[in-house]
Amino acid sequence: MSSYKPVAIPSYPKLGEKITQDTLYWRRYKTPVQIKEFGAVTKIDFSPVQPCNYAVTASTRIHIYGRYSQEPIKTFSRFKDTAYCGTYRGDGKLLAAGCEDSVVQLFDINGKAALRQFVGHSKAVHFVDFTADKFRIVSGSDDYASKIWDIPNGIEISTYKEHTDYVRCGCASKLNDDLFVTGSYDHTVKVFDARTENSVMTMQHEQPVESVLLFPSGGLLVSAGGRYVKVWDLLKGGQLLVSLRNHHKTVTSLCLSSSGQRLLSGSLDRHVKVYSTMNYKVVHSFDYAASILSLALAPDDEMIVVGMTNSVLNVKHRKPEEKKSNEPVAKKHPRYRMFVKGKDYMPKQDDFIVSKPVRQRLRKYDQLLRGFQVSAALDAVLETPVRTATPEVTVAVMNEIERRGTLKNALAGRDEKQLSLILNFLIKRVTCPNFFPFIFFYFFLFLDIYSSVTNQSPVVDKLFLRLQDTLEKEISYQEELLEVLGMMDTLFATMASKKTTVSRETRPSIPEENNLMAVKSSS
């Protein structure tokens, strides 16, 4: 008697995301820590110096958190109304913030009271930043104005009123002491030089601008507003390089990775997209529970912190890299040589080789099929781990039972629980293109067996109705797809006919030109 041949399980192409180096890099974050704030988190800013604490602006307070602290280590609450844009200075010693009551406040990190209060705006100040020389502050307000303040003297230096709507975002250059950028709800991004009275460059974003970002080199500018993220080349006079539309709702925040090779954008659609700055394609994406208002990355990408509209601060820490141990390998016992003796021996031409019989290990369903227990084999592949994780195994075993001509016997004589199990599997997999022909055949065979006992179990009847509804929906989808295909065929045919008519019309023009040239030459 020949040995039993196991059931051949077909392999189907698996659809899923492509695992890249970026995927592995950005997945190396631990389970997030959720911190409840007093209001929507509108700004997160990391200190540029160690230990890289970060300031979180929410409601009427600015909380300072340590790298691993879940409670604030310091709080600035000297605001009469909502605070905005708590930002560190380049040396990490000072913190500036705007406020709903139109005042710009300057704090010492080690103090409590404000060192300076700059009064001059008439409406809420949503954007503040320090210039590269560390002695001036740039601010933008809902009064359409941008101002530059002198820190040592506490006075206003200059004012720019070129925007025609709220100034909600901006940033100062880290290389040029006099250069800063503002974004406004008038759909424009303007570049200012503190040595001139007017803006030196204007870019049309075509959407209310929510965030702007300068690359460390100072040559590229990124603006976010509406569903768009746009990259501008400042060295070419503000030329638009690329326009990205990967979000479904308004993009609210931008940040760069520590290397500057990845750009991150957060949106109200609850997603953070990671772009490669080489080709500006999405290389990874994060999902969150609520709409995102602010986003920040720690130095060396050790932390990613996201502030959301539900007043929750989401903090993810990077897992430490596994260190390779340089410990010496333990010495093996002398018995080890006995077990590996002759393992690498190469047989010679005159040697007689005695092969050891290989024991065949069969799966549970193969063992049952070898014993002709087809009903038990079907039960084995309908167990939850098999039918959910590897449905192709269930379908392959059912095909093998059908090939033997005993599938009707395997399906017959089942109780309500077993019938529900089979029907649930058919309902879930009937729309899968890999299994549809087999599932459809099994469904009609199932109806043929149990049509005489319908209307006896409300559970089974309900599952039959679900299966019917699933099939009707699938048929309607197929009809819609056929209509779309017909429309596309019509469009393609029209485009092809236009090309042929245009080519026919242009052909006679050549001899006409030749005739004209001949007339001119004769004249």
Side-chain angles (χ1 to χ4, degrees):
M1 183 177 179
S2 61
S3 60
Y4 172 78
K5 186 178 180 180
V7 177
I9 308 299
S11 59
Y12 298 100
K14 293 184 179 180
L15 300 177
E17 64 174 342
K18 186 179 180 181
I19 303 298
T20 61
Q21 291 297 324
D22 280 284
T23 307
L24 299 175
Y25 181 83
W26 294 105
R27 277 185 176 177
R28 291 189 61 246
Y29 284 100
K30 300 178 183 177
T31 305
V33 177
Q34 307 279 351
I35 302 174
K36 185 67 176 177
E37 284 289 341
F38 291 92
V41 182
T42 56
K43 174 70 175 180
I44 302 166
D45 190 50
F46 274 90
S47 173
V49 297
Q50 295 295 334
C52 296
N53 299 332
Y54 56 97
V56 177
T57 307
S59 186
T60 59
R61 305 179 185 185
I62 298 177
H63 287 155
I64 308 296
Y65 289 91
R67 176 166 290 190
Y68 297 104
S69 64
Q70 298 187 22
E71 295 292 335
I73 58 178
K74 191 173 185 61
T75 300
F76 297 100
S77 57
R78 303 294 178 92
F79 297 95
K80 296 179 181 179
D81 208 332
T82 306
Y84 298 111
C85 199
T87 306
Y88 278 100
R89 196 169 71 170
D91 55 7
K93 295 180 179 179
L94 296 181
L95 183 77
C99 184
E100 186 69 30
D101 61 3
S102 72
V103 177
V104 178
Q105 299 196 45
L106 182 68
F107 297 94
D108 184 356
I109 291 300
N110 298 319
K112 291 185 178 180
L115 294 178
R116 292 279 191 275
Q117 288 191 346
F118 303 97
V119 180
H121 286 290
S122 59
K123 290 186 179 181
V125 180
H126 283 267
F127 137 67
V128 294
D129 198 3
F130 291 92
T131 57
D133 58 13
K134 303 178 184 178
F135 298 117
R136 288 173 292 175
I137 293 177
V138 182
S139 65
S141 170
D142 285 353
D143 59 6
Y144 311 166
S146 304
K147 294 180 181 290
I148 302 177
W149 311 88
D150 182 67
I151 295 177
N153 299 319
I155 60 173
E156 176 185 326
I157 299 176
S158 56
T159 302
Y160 300 91
K161 293 186 176 181
E162 295 190 19
H163 286 291
T164 57
D165 208 332
Y166 299 154
V167 180
R168 286 296 175 91
C169 59
C171 63
S173 172
K174 304 302 179 186
L175 299 178
N176 191 318
D177 297 343
D178 300 305
L179 201 68
F180 67 96
V181 182
T182 59
S184 171
Y185 277 10
D186 63 3
H187 302 187
T188 63
V189 179
K190 291 183 179 290
V191 181
F192 293 92
D193 192 325
R195 296 165 292 187
T196 62
E197 296 181 356
N198 299 316
S199 62
V200 296
M201 207 176 297
T202 301
M203 283 79 74
Q204 294 291 335
H205 185 82
E206 299 177 353
Q207 297 285 336
V209 183
E210 300 285 349
S211 180
V212 292
L213 176 69
L214 271 171
F215 272 66
S217 62
L220 295 179
L221 172 67
V222 187
S223 62
R227 297 169 57 187
Y228 295 90
V229 175
K230 297 187 177 183
V231 184
W232 312 85
D233 191 345
L234 299 184
L235 302 179
K236 293 184 178 180
Q239 178 182 345
L240 178 63
L241 291 182
V242 64
S243 179
L244 308 172
R245 189 180 175 182
N246 298 99
H247 288 282
H248 304 298
K249 292 184 180 180
T250 302
V251 183
T252 56
S253 55
L254 299 168
C255 75
L256 278 173
S257 65
S258 57
S259 63
Q261 296 181 357
R262 296 294 180 267
L263 172 68
L264 284 76
S265 64
S267 168
L268 296 179
D269 62 4
R270 303 182 293 108
H271 289 87
V272 172
K273 304 285 185 182
V274 184
Y275 306 89
S276 169
T277 55
M278 300 297 292
N279 52 19
Y280 295 102
K281 291 184 179 180
V282 178
V283 295
H284 193 66
S285 179
F286 294 98
D287 298 336
Y288 288 89
S291 298
I292 298 169
L293 288 179
S294 53
L295 166 68
L297 268 175
D300 299 327
D301 303 339
E302 290 297 321
M303 293 169 57
I304 178 170
V305 186
V306 169
M308 296 178 281
T309 54
N310 60 354
S311 308
V312 171
L313 190 69
N314 187 293
V315 184
K316 292 182 180 180
H317 296 272
R318 179 175 292 280
K319 297 177 183 177
E321 294 184 2
E322 297 180 358
K323 296 182 179 180
K324 297 180 179 179
S325 60
N326 297 324
E327 299 178 0
V329 181
K331 292 184 178 180
K332 296 176 181 178
H333 198 275
R335 286 196 302 262
Y336 180 77
R337 291 195 296 254
M338 184 67 181
F339 289 103
V340 299
K341 186 177 181 181
K343 183 179 180 181
D344 299 329
Y345 177 78
M346 297 297 293
K348 298 178 182 178
Q349 187 175 2
D350 298 333
D351 289 345
F352 181 76
I353 302 173
V354 180
S355 59
K356 185 179 179 181
V358 180
R359 184 179 177 182
Q360 189 180 33
R361 294 186 178 181
L362 299 176
R363 301 277 186 179
K364 183 179 179 180
Y365 54 84
D366 278 320
Q367 294 176 5
L368 294 170
L369 286 174
R370 185 172 65 173
F372 302 101
Q373 302 178 35
V374 291
S375 183
L378 183 59
D379 291 336
V381 294
L382 285 172
E383 293 178 356
T384 303
V386 180
R387 77 171 190 272
T388 56
T390 54
E392 62 274 8
V393 174
T394 305
V395 175
V397 171
M398 294 176 79
N399 287 338
E400 174 63 20
I401 298 173
E402 168 59 24
R403 187 187 68 81
R404 297 184 179 190
T406 56
L407 182 59
K408 186 173 286 189
N409 296 337
L411 290 173
R414 295 182 175 270
D415 56 14
E416 182 184 88
K417 184 178 180 181
Q418 294 172 331
L419 291 177
S420 301
L421 206 63
I422 298 172
L423 278 173
N424 277 317
F425 177 76
L426 297 178
I427 292 170
K428 190 173 183 180
R429 302 297 173 183
V430 70
T431 56
C432 182
N434 295 329
F435 309 133
F436 180 76
F438 311 111
I439 297 294
F440 209 63
F441 171 73
Y442 302 149
F443 169 62
F444 281 108
L445 185 62
F446 193 84
L447 282 178
D448 188 26
I449 298 172
Y450 291 100
S451 59
S452 60
V453 293
T454 53
N455 300 326
Q456 294 185 10
S457 170
V459 177
V460 176
D461 292 343
K462 188 176 181 180
L463 290 172
F464 271 119
L465 293 175
R466 272 184 57 195
L467 184 57
Q468 180 184 358
D469 185 47
T470 305
L471 289 174
E472 288 177 352
K473 287 182 179 179
E474 184 66 20
I475 292 171
S476 66
Y477 292 153
Q478 295 290 340
E479 291 176 350
E480 291 177 4
L481 286 174
L482 288 173
E483 291 178 2
V484 173
L485 285 174
M487 295 176 188
M488 293 176 67
D489 289 339
T490 306
L491 289 173
F492 292 150
T494 306
M495 292 170 64
S497 63
K498 284 183 179 179
K499 287 182 180 178
T500 54
T501 54
V502 169
S503 61
R504 287 175 181 173
E505 289 175 358
T506 55
R507 282 177 184 173
S509 63
I510 298 174
E512 290 178 4
E513 291 180 358
N514 293 335
N515 293 335
L516 289 173
M517 294 295 292
V519 170
K520 287 182 179 179
S521 60
S522 63
S523 63

